[in-house]
Amino acid sequence: MLNIHRFTGGALLASLSLMASAQTPPDGDQTSQLMRGQAYTGPAQPTPRGLDGKPDLTGFWRPLKEPGKPGGNLGKDEPNFILPFNEVGKRALIYTQNHTVDPEAQCILGGIPRHNGSGLPFEILHTPQRLATTYNYNTSRLVTIDPKLKHGKNLEPLYFGHPIAHWEGDTLVIETRGLKDSVKDRIWLDENGNPTSDQTVVIERWSRPDYHHLKLEMTVTDLEYYSRPFTFKRTWARADEGLGQKEYACNESNLSGELIGPGAGVIGPDGNRGFGYSEPLPDVPPGPEAYETKE
């Protein structure tokens, strides 16, 4: 059995283009640091605000590195970088690792919460009523900001689910329900192939404390596969002025998709997926009885 694993989060290069921005940076002394994933170290600049007086999250955002923390793993702040699986979740993990090819390697939408853990930059275009987030692979998410909206019943399962946003002070809170399920659909929770169920609820709390930084505190509740909710925190730095997303033809760049084996590959002790670890995946995956996830 031929297993070829590709680390899409690290191997695919970010696509950048010149793109006009409505915001003019207060200064450009630190932009080279931002493009290297380093935090802005100059004088703090005020948070830009929209017509509604709320922080404007518009910008092209690049992730900051966290020393000693794995990339793309939503369990980066958990003990041993492992998420709190319950017994059903452990079986679902076996399924994703042995039977599911990385969806993003097949140019399938990564969805939420996976995109929030990605190592790639993303762009936000923000108005008082809508938040548009654009990612690589020509993927985008649209969020309506309206405190009166509520989630209905029998939501159609989607990769990005059904997000609804409201403000709590200067924090934009997005609640997402109606996501796809890893054992029925081609979706992963994160780049390590951790599973997500159709019962998952994602609460994102976005804030922009100053001009140069964007922060996220995200709580994932999925009691189908995990024993408790868990939290993922992250900070991005605003990229150089004039840069933004451009067209990325994922299918044209995916030249060996038929050779990609299942799973995320071996996860090392540092919590990262990828090459360089000696333990191989089994040539013969366990039988169907190992993947029953509904009790």
Coordinates of all heavy atoms in Angstrom, one line a residue, residues 33-123:
Q33 N 9.1 42.9 9.8 CA 8.9 41.9 10.9 C 7.6 41.2 10.8 O 7.5 40.0 11.0 CB 9.0 42.7 12.2 CG 10.4 43.1 12.6 CD 10.4 43.7 14.1 OE1 9.4 43.5 14.8 NE2 11.5 44.3 14.4
L34 N 6.6 42.0 10.4 CA 5.3 41.4 10.2 C 5.3 40.2 9.2 O 4.6 39.2 9.4 CB 4.2 42.4 9.8 CG 4.0 43.6 10.8 CD1 3.0 44.5 10.3 CD2 3.6 43.1 12.2
M35 N 6.0 40.4 8.1 CA 6.0 39.4 7.1 C 6.8 38.2 7.5 O 6.6 37.1 6.9 CB 6.5 40.0 5.8 CG 5.7 41.1 5.2 SD 3.9 40.6 4.9 CE 4.2 39.3 3.7
R36 N 7.6 38.3 8.5 CA 8.3 37.1 9.0 C 7.6 36.5 10.2 O 8.1 35.6 10.8 CB 9.7 37.6 9.5 CG 10.6 38.0 8.3 CD 12.1 38.0 8.8 NE 12.3 38.8 9.9 CZ 12.7 40.1 9.9 NH1 12.8 40.7 8.7 NH2 12.9 40.8 11.0
G37 N 6.4 36.9 10.4 CA 5.6 36.3 11.5 C 6.0 36.8 12.9 O 5.6 36.2 13.9
Q38 N 6.7 37.9 12.9 CA 7.0 38.5 14.2 C 6.1 39.6 14.6 O 5.4 40.2 13.8 CB 8.5 39.1 14.1 CG 9.5 38.0 13.8 CD 10.9 38.6 13.6 OE1 11.0 39.8 13.8 NE2 11.9 37.8 13.3
A39 N 5.9 39.7 15.9 CA 5.0 40.7 16.4 C 5.6 42.1 16.2 O 6.8 42.4 16.1 CB 4.8 40.5 17.9
Y40 N 4.7 43.1 16.0 CA 5.0 44.5 15.9 C 5.6 45.0 17.2 O 5.0 44.7 18.3 CB 3.8 45.3 15.6 CG 4.0 46.8 15.6 CD1 4.6 47.4 14.5 CD2 3.5 47.5 16.6 CE1 4.8 48.8 14.5 CE2 3.6 48.9 16.6 CZ 4.3 49.5 15.5 OH 4.4 50.9 15.5
T41 N 6.7 45.6 17.2 CA 7.4 46.1 18.4 C 7.5 47.6 18.5 O 8.1 48.1 19.5 CB 8.8 45.5 18.5 OG1 9.6 45.9 17.3 CG2 8.8 43.9 18.6
G42 N 7.0 48.3 17.6 CA 7.0 49.8 17.6 C 5.9 50.3 18.6 O 5.2 49.6 19.3
P43 N 5.8 51.6 18.5 CA 4.7 52.3 19.4 C 3.4 51.8 19.0 O 3.0 51.6 17.8 CB 4.9 53.8 19.1 CG 6.3 53.9 18.5 CD 6.6 52.6 17.8
A44 N 2.5 51.5 20.0 CA 1.2 51.0 19.7 C 0.4 52.1 19.0 O 0.4 53.3 19.3 CB 0.5 50.7 21.1
Q45 N -0.4 51.6 18.0 CA -1.2 52.5 17.2 C -2.7 52.2 17.5 O -3.0 51.0 17.7 CB -0.9 52.4 15.7 CG 0.6 52.6 15.3 CD 1.0 54.1 15.6 OE1 0.1 55.0 15.6 NE2 2.3 54.3 15.7
P46 N -3.5 53.1 17.4 CA -4.9 52.9 17.8 C -5.6 51.9 16.9 O -5.3 51.8 15.7 CB -5.6 54.3 17.8 CG -4.7 55.1 16.9 CD -3.3 54.6 17.1
T47 N -6.6 51.3 17.4 CA -7.5 50.4 16.7 C -8.4 51.2 15.7 O -9.1 52.1 16.1 CB -8.4 49.6 17.6 OG1 -7.5 48.9 18.5 CG2 -9.3 48.6 16.9
P48 N -8.3 50.9 14.4 CA -9.3 51.5 13.5 C -10.7 51.1 13.8 O -11.0 50.0 14.2 CB -8.8 51.1 12.1 CG -8.1 49.8 12.4 CD -7.5 49.9 13.7
R49 N -11.6 52.0 13.6 CA -13.0 51.8 13.9 C -13.9 52.0 12.7 O -13.6 52.9 11.8 CB -13.5 52.6 15.1 CG -12.8 52.1 16.4 CD -13.3 52.8 17.6 NE -12.6 52.3 18.8 CZ -13.0 51.3 19.5 NH1 -14.2 50.7 19.2 NH2 -12.3 50.9 20.6
G50 N -15.0 51.3 12.6 CA -15.9 51.4 11.4 C -17.0 52.5 11.7 O -16.9 53.2 12.7
L51 N -17.9 52.5 10.8 CA -19.0 53.6 10.8 C -19.9 53.3 12.1 O -20.5 54.3 12.5 CB -19.8 53.5 9.6 CG -19.1 53.9 8.3 CD1 -20.0 53.7 7.1 CD2 -18.6 55.3 8.3
D52 N -19.9 52.1 12.6 CA -20.7 51.8 13.8 C -19.9 52.1 15.1 O -20.5 51.8 16.1 CB -21.2 50.4 13.7 CG -20.1 49.4 13.6 OD1 -18.9 49.8 13.5 OD2 -20.4 48.2 13.6
G53 N -18.7 52.5 15.0 CA -17.9 52.8 16.1 C -17.2 51.6 16.7 O -16.4 51.7 17.6
K54 N -17.4 50.4 16.1 CA -16.8 49.2 16.6 C -15.4 49.0 15.9 O -15.2 49.5 14.8 CB -17.7 48.0 16.3 CG -19.0 48.0 17.0 CD -18.8 47.9 18.5 CE -20.2 47.9 19.2 NZ -20.0 47.8 20.7
P55 N -14.6 48.2 16.5 CA -13.3 47.9 15.8 C -13.5 47.3 14.4 O -14.3 46.5 14.2 CB -12.6 46.9 16.8 CG -13.2 47.2 18.1 CD -14.6 47.6 17.8
D56 N -12.7 47.8 13.5 CA -12.7 47.4 12.1 C -11.6 46.3 12.0 O -10.5 46.5 12.2 CB -12.4 48.5 11.2 CG -12.5 48.1 9.7 OD1 -12.7 46.9 9.4 OD2 -12.3 49.0 8.8
L57 N -12.1 45.0 11.7 CA -11.1 43.9 11.7 C -10.5 43.7 10.3 O -9.8 42.8 10.0 CB -11.9 42.6 12.0 CG -12.6 42.7 13.4 CD1 -13.2 41.3 13.7 CD2 -11.7 43.1 14.5
T58 N -10.8 44.7 9.4 CA -10.3 44.6 8.0 C -8.7 44.5 8.0 O -8.1 45.3 8.7 CB -10.7 45.8 7.2 OG1 -12.2 45.8 7.1 CG2 -10.1 45.8 5.8
G59 N -8.2 43.7 7.2 CA -6.7 43.6 7.0 C -6.3 42.3 6.5 O -7.1 41.3 6.4
F60 N -5.0 42.2 6.1 CA -4.4 40.9 5.7 C -3.6 40.4 6.8 O -2.6 41.1 7.2 CB -3.6 41.1 4.4 CG -3.1 39.9 3.8 CD1 -3.9 38.8 3.6 CD2 -1.7 39.8 3.4 CE1 -3.4 37.6 3.0 CE2 -1.2 38.6 2.8 CZ -2.1 37.6 2.6
W61 N -3.9 39.3 7.4 CA -3.4 38.9 8.7 C -2.5 37.7 8.6 O -2.9 36.7 8.0 CB -4.5 38.6 9.7 CG -5.4 39.8 9.9 CD1 -6.6 40.0 9.3 CD2 -5.1 40.9 10.7 NE1 -7.1 41.2 9.8 CE2 -6.2 41.8 10.6 CE3 -4.0 41.3 11.5 CZ2 -6.2 43.0 11.3 CZ3 -4.0 42.5 12.2 CH2 -5.1 43.3 12.1
R62 N -1.3 37.8 9.2 CA -0.3 36.7 9.2 C -0.1 36.1 10.6 O 0.0 36.9 11.5 CB 1.0 37.1 8.6 CG 0.9 37.6 7.1 CD 2.2 37.9 6.5 NE 3.1 36.8 6.4 CZ 3.1 35.9 5.5 NH1 2.2 35.9 4.5 NH2 4.0 34.9 5.4
P63 N -0.1 34.8 10.7 CA 0.0 34.2 12.1 C 1.3 34.5 12.7 O 2.4 34.5 12.1 CB -0.2 32.8 11.9 CG 0.2 32.5 10.4 CD -0.2 33.8 9.7
L64 N 1.3 34.7 14.0 CA 2.5 34.8 14.8 C 3.0 33.5 15.3 O 2.1 32.6 15.7 CB 2.3 35.8 16.0 CG 2.0 37.2 15.7 CD1 1.8 38.0 17.0 CD2 3.0 37.8 14.8
K65 N 4.3 33.2 15.3 CA 4.8 32.0 15.8 C 4.7 31.9 17.3 O 5.0 32.9 18.0 CB 6.2 31.8 15.3 CG 6.4 31.7 13.8 CD 7.8 31.6 13.4 CE 8.0 31.5 11.9 NZ 9.4 31.4 11.5
E66 N 4.5 30.7 17.8 CA 4.4 30.5 19.3 C 5.5 29.5 19.6 O 5.4 28.3 19.3 CB 3.1 30.0 19.7 CG 2.0 31.0 19.6 CD 0.7 30.4 20.2 OE1 0.5 30.4 21.4 OE2 -0.2 30.0 19.4
P67 N 6.6 29.9 20.2 CA 7.7 29.0 20.5 C 7.3 27.8 21.3 O 6.6 28.0 22.3 CB 8.7 29.8 21.2 CG 8.4 31.2 20.8 CD 7.0 31.3 20.6
G68 N 7.6 26.6 20.9 CA 7.3 25.4 21.6 C 5.9 24.9 21.4 O 5.5 23.9 22.0
K69 N 5.1 25.6 20.5 CA 3.7 25.2 20.3 C 3.6 24.6 18.9 O 4.2 25.2 17.9 CB 2.8 26.3 20.4 CG 2.7 27.0 21.8 CD 2.0 26.1 22.8 CE 1.8 26.8 24.1 NZ 1.1 26.0 25.1
P70 N 2.9 23.5 18.7 CA 2.7 23.0 17.3 C 1.8 23.8 16.5 O 0.9 24.5 17.0 CB 2.1 21.6 17.6 CG 1.3 21.8 18.9 CD 2.2 22.7 19.7
G71 N 2.0 23.8 15.2 CA 1.2 24.6 14.2 C 0.1 23.7 13.7 O 0.3 22.5 13.5
G72 N -1.1 24.3 13.5 CA -2.2 23.6 12.9 C -2.9 22.6 13.8 O -3.8 21.9 13.4
N73 N -2.5 22.5 15.1 CA -3.0 21.5 16.0 C -3.9 22.3 17.0 O -3.4 23.1 17.8 CB -1.9 20.8 16.7 CG -2.4 19.8 17.7 OD1 -3.6 19.7 18.0 ND2 -1.5 19.0 18.3
L74 N -5.2 22.1 17.0 CA -6.1 22.8 18.0 C -5.8 22.4 19.4 O -6.4 23.0 20.3 CB -7.5 22.6 17.6 CG -8.0 23.3 16.3 CD1 -9.5 23.3 16.2 CD2 -7.4 24.7 16.1
G75 N -5.0 21.3 19.6 CA -4.7 20.9 21.0 C -3.4 21.5 21.4 O -2.8 21.0 22.4
K76 N -2.9 22.6 20.8 CA -1.6 23.1 21.2 C -1.5 23.5 22.6 O -0.4 23.6 23.2 CB -1.3 24.3 20.3 CG -2.1 25.6 20.5 CD -1.7 26.7 19.6 CE -2.5 28.0 19.9 NZ -2.2 28.5 21.3
D77 N -2.6 23.9 23.3 CA -2.5 24.3 24.7 C -3.0 23.2 25.7 O -3.1 23.4 26.9 CB -3.4 25.5 24.9 CG -2.8 26.7 24.1 OD1 -1.6 26.9 24.1 OD2 -3.7 27.4 23.5
E78 N -3.3 22.0 25.1 CA -3.7 20.8 26.0 C -2.5 20.1 26.4 O -1.4 20.1 25.8 CB -4.6 19.9 25.2 CG -5.9 20.6 24.8 CD -6.9 20.7 26.0 OE1 -6.8 19.9 26.9 OE2 -7.6 21.7 26.0
P79 N -2.6 19.3 27.5 CA -1.5 18.4 27.9 C -1.0 17.5 26.8 O -1.8 16.8 26.2 CB -2.1 17.6 29.1 CG -3.2 18.5 29.6 CD -3.7 19.2 28.4
N80 N 0.3 17.5 26.6 CA 0.9 16.7 25.5 C 0.4 17.0 24.1 O 0.5 16.2 23.2 CB 0.8 15.2 25.8 CG 1.4 14.8 27.1 OD1 2.5 15.2 27.4 ND2 0.7 14.0 27.9
F81 N -0.3 18.2 24.0 CA -0.8 18.6 22.7 C -1.9 17.7 22.2 O -2.2 17.6 21.0 CB 0.3 18.8 21.7 CG 1.5 19.5 22.1 CD1 2.7 18.9 22.1 CD2 1.4 20.8 22.6 CE1 3.8 19.6 22.6 CE2 2.5 21.5 23.1 CZ 3.7 20.9 23.0
I82 N -2.6 17.0 23.1 CA -3.6 16.0 22.7 C -5.0 16.5 23.2 O -5.2 16.8 24.3 CB -3.3 14.6 23.2 CG1 -2.0 14.1 22.7 CG2 -4.5 13.6 22.9 CD1 -1.6 12.8 23.3
L83 N -6.0 16.5 22.3 CA -7.3 16.9 22.6 C -8.0 15.9 23.6 O -7.6 14.7 23.6 CB -8.1 17.1 21.4 CG -7.7 18.3 20.5 CD1 -8.4 18.3 19.2 CD2 -8.0 19.7 21.2
P84 N -9.0 16.4 24.4 CA -9.6 15.5 25.3 C -10.7 14.6 24.7 O -11.9 14.8 24.9 CB -10.3 16.5 26.3 CG -10.6 17.7 25.5 CD -9.5 17.8 24.5
F85 N -10.2 13.5 24.0 CA -11.2 12.6 23.4 C -12.0 11.8 24.4 O -11.4 11.4 25.4 CB -10.4 11.6 22.5 CG -9.7 12.2 21.3 CD1 -8.4 12.5 21.3 CD2 -10.4 12.6 20.2 CE1 -7.7 13.1 20.3 CE2 -9.8 13.1 19.1 CZ -8.4 13.4 19.1
N86 N -13.2 11.5 24.1 CA -13.9 10.5 24.8 C -13.8 9.2 24.0 O -13.0 9.1 23.0 CB -15.4 10.8 25.0 CG -16.1 11.1 23.7 OD1 -15.8 10.6 22.6 ND2 -17.2 11.9 23.7
E87 N -14.4 8.1 24.4 CA -14.2 6.8 23.7 C -14.7 6.8 22.3 O -14.0 6.2 21.4 CB -14.8 5.7 24.5 CG -14.1 5.4 25.8 CD -12.6 5.1 25.7 OE1 -12.3 4.3 24.8 OE2 -11.8 5.7 26.4
V88 N -15.8 7.5 22.0 CA -16.3 7.6 20.7 C -15.4 8.4 19.8 O -15.1 8.0 18.6 CB -17.7 8.2 20.7 CG1 -18.2 8.4 19.2 CG2 -18.7 7.3 21.4
G89 N -14.8 9.5 20.4 CA -13.9 10.3 19.6 C -12.6 9.6 19.3 O -12.0 9.8 18.2
K90 N -12.1 8.7 20.2 CA -10.9 7.9 19.9 C -11.2 7.0 18.6 O -10.3 6.9 17.8 CB -10.5 7.1 21.1 CG -10.0 7.9 22.2 CD -9.7 7.0 23.4 CE -9.2 7.8 24.6 NZ -9.0 7.0 25.8
R91 N -12.4 6.5 18.5 CA -12.7 5.6 17.4 C -12.8 6.5 16.1 O -12.4 6.1 15.0 CB -13.9 4.8 17.6 CG -13.8 3.8 18.8 CD -14.8 2.7 18.7 NE -16.2 3.2 18.8 CZ -16.8 3.3 20.0 NH1 -16.1 3.0 21.1 NH2 -18.0 3.7 20.1
A92 N -13.4 7.7 16.3 CA -13.5 8.6 15.1 C -12.1 9.0 14.7 O -11.9 9.2 13.5 CB -14.3 9.8 15.5
L93 N -11.2 9.2 15.6 CA -9.8 9.5 15.2 C -9.2 8.4 14.4 O -8.5 8.7 13.4 CB -9.0 9.8 16.5 CG -7.5 10.2 16.2 CD1 -7.4 11.4 15.4 CD2 -6.8 10.3 17.5
I94 N -9.4 7.2 14.8 CA -8.9 6.0 14.0 C -9.4 6.1 12.6 O -8.7 5.9 11.6 CB -9.3 4.7 14.7 CG1 -8.5 4.5 16.0 CG2 -8.9 3.5 13.8 CD1 -9.0 3.3 16.8
Y95 N -10.7 6.4 12.5 CA -11.3 6.5 11.1 C -10.6 7.6 10.3 O -10.2 7.3 9.1 CB -12.8 6.8 11.2 CG -13.5 6.8 9.9 CD1 -13.9 5.6 9.4 CD2 -13.6 7.9 9.1 CE1 -14.5 5.5 8.2 CE2 -14.2 7.9 7.9 CZ -14.7 6.7 7.4 OH -15.3 6.6 6.2
T96 N -10.4 8.8 10.8 CA -9.9 9.9 10.0 C -8.4 9.6 9.7 O -8.0 9.9 8.5 CB -9.9 11.2 10.8 OG1 -9.2 11.1 12.0 CG2 -11.3 11.6 11.1
Q97 N -7.7 8.9 10.6 CA -6.3 8.7 10.3 C -6.0 7.5 9.3 O -5.0 7.5 8.6 CB -5.5 8.4 11.6 CG -5.5 9.5 12.6 CD -4.7 10.7 12.1 OE1 -4.1 10.7 11.0 NE2 -4.6 11.8 12.9
N98 N -7.0 6.6 9.2 CA -6.7 5.4 8.4 C -7.6 5.4 7.1 O -7.4 4.5 6.3 CB -6.9 4.2 9.2 CG -5.8 4.0 10.2 OD1 -4.7 3.8 9.9 ND2 -6.2 4.1 11.5
H99 N -8.6 6.2 7.1 CA -9.6 6.1 5.9 C -9.9 7.4 5.2 O -10.5 7.4 4.2 CB -10.9 5.5 6.4 CG -10.8 4.0 6.5 ND1 -11.3 3.1 5.5 CD2 -10.3 3.2 7.5 CE1 -11.1 1.9 5.9 NE2 -10.5 1.9 7.1
T100 N -9.4 8.5 5.8 CA -9.8 9.8 5.2 C -8.5 10.5 4.7 O -7.6 10.8 5.5 CB -10.5 10.7 6.2 OG1 -11.6 10.0 6.8 CG2 -11.0 12.0 5.5
V101 N -8.5 10.8 3.4 CA -7.4 11.6 2.9 C -7.6 13.1 3.3 O -8.8 13.6 3.4 CB -7.4 11.5 1.3 CG1 -6.3 12.5 0.7 CG2 -7.1 10.1 0.9
D102 N -6.5 13.8 3.6 CA -6.6 15.2 4.0 C -7.5 16.0 3.1 O -7.2 16.1 1.9 CB -5.2 15.8 4.1 CG -5.2 17.2 4.6 OD1 -6.3 17.8 4.7 OD2 -4.1 17.7 5.0
P103 N -8.7 16.5 3.5 CA -9.6 17.2 2.6 C -8.9 18.3 1.9 O -9.2 18.5 0.7 CB -10.7 17.6 3.5 CG -10.7 16.7 4.7 CD -9.2 16.4 4.9
E104 N -8.1 19.1 2.6 CA -7.5 20.3 1.9 C -6.5 19.8 0.8 O -6.3 20.5 -0.2 CB -6.8 21.2 2.9 CG -7.8 22.0 3.7 CD -7.1 23.1 4.5 OE1 -5.8 23.2 4.5 OE2 -7.8 24.0 5.1
A105 N -5.9 18.6 1.0 CA -5.0 18.1 0.0 C -5.8 17.7 -1.3 O -5.2 17.6 -2.4 CB -4.2 16.9 0.5
Q106 N -7.1 17.6 -1.2 CA -8.0 17.3 -2.3 C -8.7 18.6 -2.8 O -9.7 18.5 -3.5 CB -9.0 16.2 -1.9 CG -8.3 14.9 -1.5 CD -9.3 13.9 -1.1 OE1 -10.0 14.1 0.0 NE2 -9.5 12.8 -1.8
C107 N -8.3 19.7 -2.3 CA -8.9 21.0 -2.6 C -10.3 21.1 -2.1 O -11.2 21.7 -2.8 CB -8.8 21.2 -4.1 SG -7.1 21.2 -4.8
I108 N -10.6 20.4 -1.0 CA -11.9 20.5 -0.4 C -11.8 21.6 0.7 O -10.8 21.7 1.4 CB -12.4 19.2 0.2 CG1 -12.5 18.2 -0.9 CG2 -13.7 19.3 1.0 CD1 -12.7 16.7 -0.5
L109 N -12.9 22.3 1.0 CA -12.9 23.4 2.0 C -12.5 22.9 3.3 O -12.9 21.8 3.8 CB -14.3 24.0 2.1 CG -15.0 24.5 0.8 CD1 -16.4 25.1 1.2 CD2 -14.1 25.5 0.1
G110 N -11.6 23.6 4.0 CA -11.1 23.2 5.3 C -12.2 23.5 6.3 O -12.3 22.8 7.3
G111 N -13.0 24.6 6.2 CA -14.0 24.9 7.1 C -13.6 25.4 8.4 O -12.4 25.7 8.6
I112 N -14.5 25.5 9.3 CA -14.3 26.0 10.7 C -14.5 24.8 11.6 O -15.4 24.0 11.4 CB -15.3 27.1 11.0 CG1 -14.9 28.4 10.3 CG2 -15.3 27.4 12.5 CD1 -13.6 29.0 10.7
P113 N -13.6 24.6 12.6 CA -12.6 25.5 13.1 C -11.2 25.4 12.5 O -10.3 26.1 12.8 CB -12.5 25.2 14.6 CG -12.8 23.8 14.7 CD -13.8 23.5 13.6
R114 N -11.1 24.5 11.5 CA -9.7 24.2 11.0 C -9.0 25.5 10.5 O -7.8 25.6 10.7 CB -9.8 23.2 9.9 CG -8.4 22.9 9.2 CD -8.4 21.7 8.3 NE -7.1 21.5 7.7 CZ -6.8 20.4 7.0 NH1 -7.6 19.5 6.7 NH2 -5.5 20.3 6.5
H115 N -9.7 26.3 9.7 CA -9.0 27.5 9.2 C -8.4 28.4 10.2 O -7.4 29.1 10.0 CB -9.9 28.2 8.2 CG -9.9 27.8 6.8 ND1 -8.7 27.9 6.0 CD2 -10.8 27.2 6.0 CE1 -9.0 27.4 4.8 NE2 -10.2 27.0 4.8
N116 N -9.0 28.4 11.4 CA -8.5 29.3 12.5 C -7.1 28.8 13.0 O -6.4 29.5 13.7 CB -9.5 29.4 13.6 CG -10.7 30.3 13.2 OD1 -10.6 31.1 12.3 ND2 -11.8 30.1 13.9
G117 N -6.8 27.5 12.7 CA -5.5 27.0 13.2 C -4.5 26.9 12.1 O -3.4 26.4 12.3
S118 N -4.8 27.4 10.9 CA -4.0 27.2 9.7 C -2.7 28.1 9.9 O -2.7 29.1 10.5 CB -4.7 27.7 8.5 OG -3.8 27.7 7.3
G119 N -1.6 27.6 9.2 CA -0.4 28.4 9.2 C -0.4 29.4 8.1 O 0.6 30.1 7.9
L120 N -1.4 29.5 7.3 CA -1.4 30.5 6.2 C -2.1 31.8 6.6 O -3.0 31.8 7.5 CB -2.2 29.8 5.0 CG -1.6 28.6 4.4 CD1 -2.6 28.0 3.4 CD2 -0.2 28.8 3.8
P121 N -1.7 32.9 5.9 CA -2.4 34.1 6.2 C -3.8 34.1 5.6 O -4.2 33.3 4.8 CB -1.5 35.2 5.5 CG -0.9 34.4 4.3 CD -0.7 33.0 4.9
F122 N -4.6 35.1 6.0 CA -6.0 35.3 5.5 C -6.3 36.7 5.5 O -5.7 37.5 6.2 CB -7.0 34.5 6.3 CG -7.2 34.9 7.7 CD1 -8.1 35.8 8.1 CD2 -6.3 34.4 8.7 CE1 -8.3 36.3 9.4 CE2 -6.5 34.8 10.1 CZ -7.5 35.8 10.4
E123 N -7.4 37.1 4.8 CA -7.8 38.5 4.7 C -9.2 38.7 5.2 O -10.1 37.8 4.9 CB -7.6 39.0 3.2 CG -7.9 40.4 3.1 CD -7.5 41.0 1.7 OE1 -7.0 40.2 0.9 OE2 -7.6 42.2 1.5

